[in-house]
Amino acid sequence: MSKPNRGAKIDLFLKLSIAVMFIIGFLIFMYPFVVDAINNVIDQHRLAEVQIKNEKRSEADKKKRLKQLETENKQLHTIIPGVGSLADPFQTSLKKMESPKKEYFEQHMIGAIFIPKIKVSLPIYDQTNDFLLDEGATVLQGTSYPVGGKNTHSVITGHTGLAEKKLFTDLNKLKKQEQFYLHVEEKKMAYQIDRIRIVKPEDFNALKIEDGRDLVTLLTCTPYGINSHRLLVTGHRVKYPVQAAKKIRVTENYHRSRIIYLIAGCIFFILIFLYFIWRKIVLYQSQKRTYDFIFYLYQNGKPMPGVRAWVSCKGQDICRADKLIYTTSDESGVIKFSHIPGGIYCVETENGLRIKGKIWRVKDSVFTIVGHPSRRHKQIKQSMKYDIIESKGT
């Protein structure tokens, strides 16, 4: 019975430490992607729940609610011409309040926004505060509700750069002529982007109501991580396209598929990591025992006797008492090395073959042949066929 030397112990410790640090780093790297995907799926579920409840409402109730929002749009009082009483949505705070329950979000949800270009599918809430901003897109107080109509300008806000959600993080990728869609109280509207601006937080001039126009502006912080300015993406009302339904469905399915792929990828990566750890432990433990490296060497289906072979580990030939360990295949083509400490070894033959073997399980009695025999010298004739048949231990 042999024992691993101090170097083997240190090598195992270092490899396991590096592996653990790597997997921790991977999980930290994946955290925002997985959490964002989970939160998006939750958003889709919340939207679906509200939609089911809305379908159960009477037509009269739906029309009453829509009429109420349209009436409030007409009654907007403004400080500067065409703009309601505004405040920067990202400078207010409700952190001292208790987190509201599910019913609070359902009560304030009035619809959904879909931006297929950047895979956004979010609920829209009827006012802006910290709680609602963390869960989706919100209507900025003092601006029109997003129900369409002339002389309206709705401002829909969303966070950028949250660790748990992307929300409006990719808003800067939008370009003019691209479209986004609003579904509010079962009213479907499409808007085509015609203006993209970056302004200071206190500059509300770009949010004015314009005579005769139906506008929606998407608002978020910029630049990413600094948030010193506000990005404004403004679109005007256009005819709702037939292909919108397909684009929205693709966007919704994207979030569901994404979470499946991300979780499956993480599980696969963790399994690979655990396999790596298991293999390192097996190889370390196998060094406490000895095994036989044995196989049958054939050429064109016939045994190859008298072939000289030697064993090496990590490119270094194995010696005992300063003598190279070698053997010769017998009449049956058997090449055998006995009582070798566990690990990963290569047996090389005088005719240029290299056969790799390793210990698969500590309790095995022989090395497992891995891969296919490789030719070390180019001068070996390509027409010659070599077969390596492993000897299974009992």
Side-chain angles (χ1 to χ4, degrees):
M1 186 78 69
S2 61
K3 292 183 178 181
N5 56 36
R6 181 178 177 81
K9 294 179 180 179
I10 294 175
D11 181 64
L12 176 66
F13 175 77
L14 290 176
K15 288 180 178 178
L16 294 183
S17 298
I18 293 172
V20 169
M21 288 189 291
F22 183 77
I23 192 65
I24 291 175
F26 172 78
L27 293 176
I28 292 174
F29 172 78
M30 291 300 297
Y31 171 80
F33 298 100
V34 174
V35 174
D36 172 59
I38 292 174
N39 283 328
N40 274 297
V41 170
I42 293 173
D43 287 338
Q44 306 314 308
H45 180 69
R46 184 175 292 161
L47 283 171
E49 283 186 335
V50 173
Q51 184 177 0
I52 291 173
K53 290 183 179 180
N54 284 337
E55 289 175 353
K56 295 179 180 179
R57 292 164 54 199
S58 66
E59 289 297 323
D61 186 40
K62 296 175 187 177
K63 290 181 179 180
K64 180 180 178 181
R65 173 59 173 160
L66 188 60
K67 185 68 175 178
Q68 179 184 355
L69 295 178
E70 291 173 344
T71 301
E72 291 186 26
N73 281 349
K74 294 177 181 179
Q75 295 176 348
L76 281 176
H77 296 288
T78 61
I79 294 176
I80 57 179
V83 182
S85 179
L86 302 177
D88 182 45
F90 305 111
Q91 293 180 351
T92 59
S93 177
L94 297 176
K95 295 298 184 183
K96 294 182 180 179
M97 294 176 55
E98 292 185 5
S99 181
K101 296 181 179 179
K102 175 182 177 182
E103 291 74 18
Y104 174 82
F105 297 100
E106 292 183 353
Q107 176 186 352
H108 288 281
M109 187 187 301
I110 59 172
I113 179 171
F114 304 97
I115 315 176
K117 176 67 177 182
I118 56 175
K119 300 297 187 292
V120 164
S121 173
L122 293 171
I124 299 177
Y125 299 101
D126 62 2
Q127 61 179 255
T128 296
N129 60 48
D130 282 346
F131 297 125
L132 298 177
L133 275 172
D134 286 343
E135 297 300 324
T138 65
V139 177
L140 180 60
Q141 282 93 324
T143 70
S144 309
Y145 288 106
V147 293
K150 293 182 179 181
N151 302 319
T152 62
H153 191 165
S154 179
V155 179
I156 300 178
T157 65
H159 272 310
T160 287
L162 295 185
E164 300 83 7
K165 277 189 176 184
K166 292 187 73 174
L167 298 174
F168 277 5
T169 298
D170 292 334
L171 209 62
N172 60 344
K173 296 179 181 179
L174 293 178
K175 297 179 181 179
K176 293 181 180 180
Q177 305 304 313
E178 292 174 342
Q179 294 183 353
F180 57 90
Y181 311 109
L182 304 179
H183 291 183
V184 178
E185 292 295 331
E186 295 194 348
K187 188 174 183 180
K188 298 180 179 180
M189 296 160 285
Y191 290 83
Q192 184 170 298
I193 298 170
D194 55 23
R195 289 183 304 204
I196 299 175
R197 301 178 183 179
I198 295 178
V199 302
K200 293 183 178 180
E202 64 274 10
D203 184 1
F204 297 113
N205 287 309
L207 307 181
K208 292 189 296 184
I209 293 174
E210 300 179 19
D211 289 340
R213 302 199 72 190
D214 181 345
L215 303 175
V216 170
T217 291
L218 310 180
L219 183 154
T220 193
C221 297
T222 194
Y224 183 89
I226 299 176
N227 303 334
S228 59
H229 289 68
R230 301 294 177 256
L231 172 64
L232 309 178
V233 178
T234 301
H236 64 277
R237 180 86 173 270
V238 294
K239 183 179 179 181
Y240 195 83
V242 176
Q243 65 270 27
K246 180 179 180 181
K247 292 181 178 180
I248 290 172
R249 186 165 57 252
V250 169
T251 300
E252 292 173 332
N253 291 337
Y254 165 81
H255 293 295
R256 298 186 183 97
S257 301
R258 182 165 168 250
I259 185 62
I260 294 174
Y261 292 141
L262 283 172
I263 292 177
C266 288
I267 292 174
F268 176 77
F269 190 88
I270 291 173
L271 290 176
I272 294 296
F273 168 77
L274 294 176
Y275 171 79
F276 173 82
I277 296 295
W278 173 68
R279 288 303 310 154
K280 294 303 177 185
I281 293 175
V282 166
L283 291 175
Y284 176 78
Q285 293 293 333
S286 69
Q287 294 178 37
K288 301 177 182 179
R289 303 178 58 179
T290 59
Y291 305 82
D292 292 339
F293 198 130
I294 180 172
F295 58 89
Y296 295 84
L297 182 60
Y298 283 74
Q299 177 184 325
N300 298 323
K302 297 180 180 180
M304 295 180 64
V307 177
R308 193 168 184 266
W310 59 93
V311 65
S312 63
C313 179
K314 296 180 180 179
Q316 300 294 322
D317 293 335
I318 305 299
C319 299
R320 288 176 180 165
D322 296 327
K323 293 183 178 180
L324 179 67
I325 300 178
Y326 71 91
T327 188
T328 303
S329 59
D330 63 16
E331 294 296 326
S332 299
V334 176
I335 292 180
K336 180 178 180 180
F337 294 90
S338 301
H339 307 301
I340 298 177
I344 300 176
Y345 295 87
C346 282
V347 171
E348 300 185 44
T349 67
E350 60 184 347
N351 54 2
L353 291 180
R354 176 179 292 178
I355 300 92
K356 185 177 181 180
K358 66 180 179 181
I359 297 302
W360 184 251
R361 297 177 301 177
V362 175
K363 65 180 182 180
D364 289 342
S365 59
V366 298
F367 283 80
T368 298
I369 304 299
V370 295
H372 298 283
S374 61
R375 294 172 180 170
R376 186 165 56 98
H377 302 297
K378 293 183 179 179
Q379 62 265 32
I380 296 178
K381 295 180 179 179
Q382 296 297 316
S383 60
M384 297 180 67
K385 180 181 178 182
Y386 295 95
D387 298 314
I388 304 299
I389 303 176
E390 181 183 357
S391 174
K392 301 293 183 181
T394 58

